[in-house]
Amino acid sequence: MEQGHKKILRRNRVNLVTKMDPTNMYDRLIVKGVFTKCMIDEIKRAETRRDRARELVRDLETRGNLAFPLFLECLVETGHHSLAELLQNGVPTVVLQPPTPIETARPALRPLPVSNPMDIPKQNIDSPLIYPVKMEDPFPSPSPENEATKTSRQAGRVRRDSIQTYKMDANPCGHCLIINNVEFDPESGLSHRKGSNIDCDKLERRFQALKFIVEVKSNLTQKRIKQELSALRNKDHSLYDCCVVIILSHGNEVSHNRFPGAVFGVDGLQVPVQHITNYLNGQHCPSLQGKPKLFFIQACGGGEKDTGFEISPDETGPSSFGADDEMDAIPLSSSSDSLSMSDEPDARATLPTPSDILVSYSTFPGYVSWRDTLSGSWYVEILDQILEENAATDDLVTMLMIVNNEVSQNSAKGLYKQMPGSFNFLRKLLYFQT
């Protein structure tokens, strides 16, 4: 599909997903060669009408150059006139017929003589007859017909251009636990985290808007953090589609099997991130099996400060942070001293396969995470902004990639950089309710 048509689909995705009922379009799309029956069957497997419409629009972008005008025809034929008009207004002219082939110089064609079969030996054969020959294009452009033929040859092969989405239509969608550690015990050697309440308020409002039951817990010790996670694990999540844990605290780098880093309680004792995810995995929380478990960690991954590297001026972006920036870390040299017997792994030291888990970190493992005492942390401020602007159209992983890029443009004290990242074990695309 042409890039211009892809942009039109993406720009109008919210309207298409909200208003389009693809039920009556399936057979027409197959007949017109836009999709194969196998592809339509996979789209039908989505849980809700909204999910099926989203799958169809996303898969449409992978089809050939005729897919867009043929899709417009289907919209008109199934009564979606307003949607068809909306898409048509995005281009100067919508071609609803295959484009006229480019004419090339060819020999003149002579009509074959009409004669009785018995007269064939008597035909004049002084000059050779010229027959039309179909010229093969050495670089054919993709089309729905070509791709349908290609797919039919690969019957039984698993499709790679259609990924199912998680069911996210329960209302409420699920529980969201926010742990906000601001005031640390003097004995811990950790400073108060000024500006963290701003982060907490933003995320509480944001996930309430995304249909979650939000619960905020402040200034928890290591023991209380574990108790709250245990209580969340013991809830019945069978009526919900998702679970979210957000931790705002100081952090540090520790040894790990799968998920790096640890967060501190206000008593200076830490909880490894991989233990936090362990509370909600499929083995320990059966009612969340097969459902997405999301963890957002605003804490340092260690004590190193990233000064970045030089790039061309075109790559640099605005830097709006500076004098009031603090970091959510303790000195790296004390990381081993802060490990106590109470932080040793439980009897089950390794995680089972962490399917349906995503852990988003505010910074790359081993590095500090910056927080403005007046406006909150870089990571949370931009995460909240991107969720507000893009949740209606983009999946979670796409939005986190945007967050990564935006945060990477900032500089602390005109020198230090920060790079968020995530460990993604989700099996499907995740779209929040908006």
Side-chain angles (χ1 to χ4, degrees):
M1 178 177 293
E2 296 178 5
Q3 286 301 319
H5 291 161
K6 289 183 180 180
K7 290 180 180 178
I8 294 171
L9 290 176
R10 292 169 186 170
R11 195 161 53 237
N12 294 283
R13 182 179 294 173
V14 175
N15 285 318
L16 289 169
V17 170
T18 303
K19 301 176 182 178
M20 183 178 69
D21 184 357
T23 305
N24 296 328
M25 302 178 66
Y26 296 142
D27 290 341
R28 288 179 169 84
L29 290 169
I30 294 174
V31 170
K32 294 177 187 295
V34 178
F35 292 112
T36 66
K37 186 177 184 304
C38 171
M39 295 172 179
I40 291 296
D41 288 343
E42 189 161 346
I43 292 172
K44 289 180 179 178
R45 292 194 190 102
E47 296 283 345
T48 65
R49 178 206 60 78
R50 188 185 180 100
D51 289 339
R52 290 190 289 273
R54 183 182 290 113
E55 290 274 354
L56 191 151
V57 174
R58 186 175 57 251
D59 284 3
L60 188 65
E61 294 184 18
T62 69
R63 312 308 295 151
N65 290 338
L66 297 181
F68 184 83
L70 292 175
F71 175 64
L72 286 182
E73 287 184 354
C74 288
L75 286 176
V76 173
E77 292 169 3
T78 54
H80 296 89
H81 300 286
S82 61
L83 290 176
E85 184 177 353
L86 189 66
L87 297 184
Q88 281 182 304
N89 289 339
V91 288
T93 304
V94 177
V95 181
L96 295 180
Q97 296 296 330
T100 304
I102 300 174
E103 294 195 9
T104 57
R106 298 180 183 273
L109 302 180
R110 295 176 55 192
L112 295 174
V114 179
S115 59
N116 189 296
M118 299 300 294
D119 296 333
I120 290 177
K122 302 176 183 178
Q123 291 179 12
N124 185 1
I125 57 172
D126 293 339
S127 59
L129 296 178
I130 300 176
Y131 296 90
V133 178
K134 182 179 179 180
M135 303 297 291
E136 293 293 337
D137 187 350
F139 303 104
S141 59
S143 67
E145 293 81 4
N146 289 342
E147 296 194 13
T149 304
K150 179 180 178 182
T151 305
S152 65
R153 294 196 196 105
Q154 299 174 344
R157 183 177 178 181
V158 178
R159 289 184 57 218
R160 295 183 179 179
D161 60 343
S162 177
I163 305 175
Q164 288 186 323
T165 60
Y166 282 107
K167 179 182 179 297
M168 290 287 286
D169 57 0
N171 193 4
C173 188
H175 289 282
C176 172
L177 172 65
I178 301 178
I179 297 175
N180 180 31
N181 283 350
V182 181
E183 300 175 356
F184 288 77
D185 297 343
E187 297 80 8
S188 69
L190 298 171
S191 62
H192 293 345
R193 300 180 61 256
K194 297 177 182 179
S196 186
N197 287 332
I198 299 173
D199 288 345
C200 185
D201 292 342
K202 288 179 181 177
L203 292 174
E204 181 179 9
R205 289 193 299 268
R206 180 60 49 217
F207 279 89
Q208 285 174 344
L210 296 175
K211 315 296 186 185
F212 282 85
I213 305 168
V214 181
E215 188 174 12
V216 177
K217 300 293 181 179
S218 300
N219 300 324
L220 303 186
T221 62
Q222 179 211 54
K223 183 177 180 180
R224 286 287 311 283
I225 292 175
K226 292 181 178 180
Q227 288 174 346
E228 292 298 334
L229 290 170
S230 181
L232 182 62
R233 174 188 62 193
N234 293 332
K235 291 180 183 291
D236 183 4
H237 300 268
S238 56
L239 297 179
Y240 307 121
D241 293 333
C242 182
C243 187
V244 176
V245 174
I246 301 171
I247 299 184
L248 313 172
S249 186
H250 284 297
N252 197 24
E253 185 176 19
V254 297
S255 60
H256 61 91
N257 292 337
R258 286 185 175 87
F259 300 105
V263 296
F264 283 96
V266 295
D267 55 356
L269 299 178
Q270 57 193 14
V271 184
V273 173
Q274 69 177 28
H275 289 187
I276 294 171
T277 62
N278 205 21
Y279 280 93
L280 301 181
N281 66 36
Q283 178 180 354
H284 294 154
C285 188
S287 61
L288 280 175
Q289 289 178 354
K291 300 177 182 181
K293 281 81 66 175
L294 312 178
F295 299 84
F296 298 88
I297 310 296
Q298 166 53 45
C300 277
E304 288 194 61
K305 297 178 182 177
D306 185 6
T307 56
F309 58 93
E310 291 189 10
I311 57 176
S312 64
D314 294 338
E315 291 290 334
T316 58
S319 175
S320 58
F321 302 94
D324 295 313
D325 292 321
E326 294 182 351
M327 53 187 178
D328 287 327
I330 64 171
L332 187 62
S333 59
S334 64
S335 61
S336 60
D337 297 334
S338 64
L339 289 172
S340 66
M341 290 302 294
S342 61
D343 279 318
E344 289 301 312
D346 298 328
R348 191 178 301 275
T350 58
L351 288 170
T353 302
S355 61
D356 308 299
I357 288 178
L358 181 142
V359 182
S360 175
Y361 293 89
S362 63
T363 189
F364 193 79
Y367 288 86
V368 300
S369 181
W370 294 96
R371 170 176 35 82
D372 189 293
T373 58
L374 301 178
S375 60
S377 66
W378 299 358
Y379 169 74
V380 171
E381 181 175 6
I382 293 176
L383 174 64
D384 175 61
Q385 175 187 335
I386 298 304
L387 287 174
E388 179 181 17
E389 296 175 355
N390 296 59
T393 57
D394 292 330
D395 67 282
L396 175 60
V397 173
T398 298
M399 288 189 286
L400 290 178
M401 188 159 48
I402 298 173
V403 171
N404 294 351
N405 181 59
E406 293 290 331
V407 173
S408 70
Q409 305 299 318
N410 298 328
S411 296
K413 309 182 191 303
L415 176 63
Y416 300 116
K417 309 293 289 184
Q418 180 177 328
M419 186 68 232
S422 59
F423 282 63
N424 179 14
F425 292 88
L426 298 179
R427 298 177 295 111
K428 306 176 184 180
L429 296 178
L430 188 151
Y431 290 89
F432 287 113
Q433 291 189 57
T434 54

